[in-house]
């Protein structure tokens, strides 16, 4: 068995994503409470830069960041597997990421 | 308690078209492809959402079940949200729970990433399929399907788990991140027995099949799917329960992302609902992980199992009504 050193990197990506995403969610929530904005629209990815109030868009950014984090973890794994010349595992991870990207694209069509 | 869903701007295809958010509104305005549903979240509801997230996150960390099976019924039955809004918010919470917990599990070397990615091929496809199906299926049908799933979840949570794996000797130091690709398996440091435990994942087709169904349920119903994946890995593939739970936790985030991307694209995600819920879940998961050692998982699972079965009955009755 070979010790897998990619764990540290993947763990860092996951923890970083949750910290940043959580911070954006918290800021958006506090801003929403401060402005008394209790009405919340359903937002889509395209509304990030032009749709809804600033607090809603900050919350959306937090949601998007959290949603992107598992995919980023898989990307980190691809890098680690490629470095370790584990082509099979890298290809499997690449297919998983492709499925996520295709889902994101189709979901917006 | 909350919400009045209303349509501010009616933007749908020309003709008499039913709103795709499943709220039953019919309109014939020309313009874009979707309406915009607004929900109103007052201060009381905001506090309620945070508390719900805390409960769900801590339950998830303590007993490995929580997330969608708690959040979706609560959002629909207590808060009165449409089930599709509830599912979208639940998926956000599930992703947050997953990345919070698996960040720790990966660092400890409990996640078998090769196993996770192999099963994730089926799960992500299932999640995507379920996500599309969930936006199209009527809300009443979703409630009934969810109720049936809750019964299964409740029964599974009342049952025990199997122990697999072979002790390969006390290593003396904590070692993390050992995996094998052929055969698919690995080893992990078991803190309880202070020894390295080696295991091999068997019967991969069972894992792939159940993973696809778990993904389908995740996208369709807004749950993590761990309640299906953990027993499949543990009982079906002979993977030790600690590795199964940690690997499932890592997979859940990826799976939920696949389903969430569809809900996000179709305009079902209300940040004002999802954000307080996600923050509550984040805090609850961290707190639950801290107290995981002192709580009695068996007692918690029993209580949760009974509650889930009762909630299931209510959801089925409402869905049929």
């Amino acid at each position: 068995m070979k010790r897998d050193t990619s764990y540290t990197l993947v763990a860092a990506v996951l923890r970083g994503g949750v910290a940043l995403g959580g911070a954006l969610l918290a800021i958006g929530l506090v801003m929403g409470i401060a402005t008394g904005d209790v009405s919340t629209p359903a937002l889509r990815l395209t509304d990030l830069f032009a749709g809804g109030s600033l607090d809603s868009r900050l919350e959306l950014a937090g949601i998007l960041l959290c949603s992107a984090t598992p995919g980023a973890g898989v990307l980190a794994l691809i890098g680690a597997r490629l470095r370790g010349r584990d082509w099979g595992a890298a290809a499997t991870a690449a297919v998983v990421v492709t499925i996520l990207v295709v889902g994101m694209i189709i979901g917006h069509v | 308690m909350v919400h009045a869903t209303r349509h501010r701007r009616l933007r749908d295809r020309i003709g008499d078209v039913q709103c795709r958010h499943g709220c039953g509104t019919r309109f014939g305005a020309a313009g874009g492809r979707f309406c915009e549903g607004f929900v109103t979240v007052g201060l009381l509801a905001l506090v309620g959402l945070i508390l719900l997230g805390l409960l769900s996150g801590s339950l998830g960390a303590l007993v490995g079940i929580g997330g969608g099976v708690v959040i979706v019924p609560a959002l629909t039955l207590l808060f009165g949200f449409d089930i599709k809004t509830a599912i979208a918010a639940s998926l956000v919470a599930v992703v947050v729970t997953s990345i919070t917990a698996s960040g720790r599990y990966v660092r400890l070397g409990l996640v078998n990433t090769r196993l996770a990615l192999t099963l994730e091929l089926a799960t992500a496809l299932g999640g995507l399929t379920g996500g599309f199906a969930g936006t199209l299926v009527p809300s009443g049908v979703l409630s009934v399907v969810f109720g049936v799933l809750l019964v299964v979840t409740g029964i599974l949570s009342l049952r025990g788990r199997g122990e697999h794996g072979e002790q390969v000797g006390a290593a003396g130091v904590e070692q993390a991140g050992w995996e094998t690709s052929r055969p698919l398996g690995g080893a992990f440091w078991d803190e309880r027995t202070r020894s390295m435990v080696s295991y091999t994942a068997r019967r991969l087709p069972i894992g792939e099949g159940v993973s696809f169904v778990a993904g389908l349920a995740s996208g369709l119903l807004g749950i993590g799917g761990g309640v299906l994946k953990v027993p499949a890995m543990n009982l079906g593939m002979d993977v030790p329960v600690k590795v199964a739970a940690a690997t499932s936790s890592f997979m859940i985030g990826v799976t939920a992302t696949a389903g969430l991307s569809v809900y996000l694209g179709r305009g079902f995600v209300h940040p004002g609902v999802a954000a307080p819920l996600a923050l509550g879940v984040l805090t609850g998961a961290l707190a639950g992980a801290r107290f995981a050692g002192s709580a009695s998982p068996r007692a918690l699972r029993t209580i949760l199992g009974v509650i889930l079965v009762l909630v299931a009955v209510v959801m089925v009755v409402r869905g049929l009504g």
Side-chain angles (χ1 to χ4, degrees), chain A residues 39-94:
Chain A
S39 177
T40 170
L43 297 183
R44 284 178 280 161
L45 186 65
T46 45
D47 295 322
L48 186 60
F49 300 105
S53 54
L54 179 61
D55 54 286
S56 287
R57 282 187 285 150
L58 276 172
E59 289 168 347
L60 180 65
I63 290 167
L64 289 174
L65 194 60
C66 288
S67 308
T69 301
V74 178
L75 281 176
L77 271 175
I78 293 177
R81 297 285 176 260
L82 286 175
R83 255 202 330 269
R85 296 179 181 277
D86 188 347
W87 311 118
T92 307

Side-chain angles (χ1 to χ4, degrees), chain A residues 1 3 6 8 10 20 38 45 85 98-99 103 106:
Chain A
M1 275 183 258
R3 182 163 191 194
S6 62
T8 313
V10 177
L20 281 174
V38 293
L45 186 65
R85 296 179 181 277
T98 306
I99 292 170
I106 296 175

Side-chain angles (χ1 to χ4, degrees), chain B residues 166-186:
Chain B
E166 179 191 352
Q167 288 187 12
V168 290
V173 290
E174 290 186 23
Q175 298 175 77
W178 295 78
E179 292 180 13
T180 57
S181 53
R182 285 177 192 172
L184 200 57

Side-chain angles (χ1 to χ4, degrees), chain A residues 93-108:
Chain A
V95 173
V96 170
V97 171
T98 306
I99 292 170
L100 293 181
V101 173
V102 167
M104 189 73 80
I105 293 168
I106 296 175
H108 283 78

Side-chain angles (χ1 to χ4, degrees), chain A residues 16-28 62-63 65-66, chain B residues 96 99 275 278-279 282:
Chain A
V18 79
L20 281 174
L24 283 171
L25 287 171
I27 294 168
I63 290 167
L65 194 60
C66 288
Chain B
V96 171
I99 56 178
L279 282 172
L282 179 61

Side-chain angles (χ1 to χ4, degrees), chain A residues 1 3-4 7 11 18 29 33 38-44 59 64 66-67 81 86 92-93 95 100 103 106-109, chain B residues 33 37-41 46 95 106 109 111 113-114 121 128 132 176-180 257 260 264-265 267 269-272:
Chain A
M1 275 183 258
R3 182 163 191 194
D4 198 330
Y7 280 12
V18 79
L29 193 62
I33 294 169
V38 293
S39 177
T40 170
L43 297 183
R44 284 178 280 161
E59 289 168 347
L64 289 174
C66 288
S67 308
R81 297 285 176 260
D86 188 347
T92 307
V95 173
L100 293 181
I106 296 175
H108 283 78
V109 173
Chain B
R33 297 181 59 190
F38 274 69
V39 296
T40 303
V41 180
L46 191 74
V95 169
V106 167
V111 177
T113 58
R114 284 179 175 81
L121 285 175
L128 206 55
F132 281 111
W178 295 78
E179 292 180 13
T180 57
T257 300
L260 180 60
L264 204 53
V269 176
H270 291 264

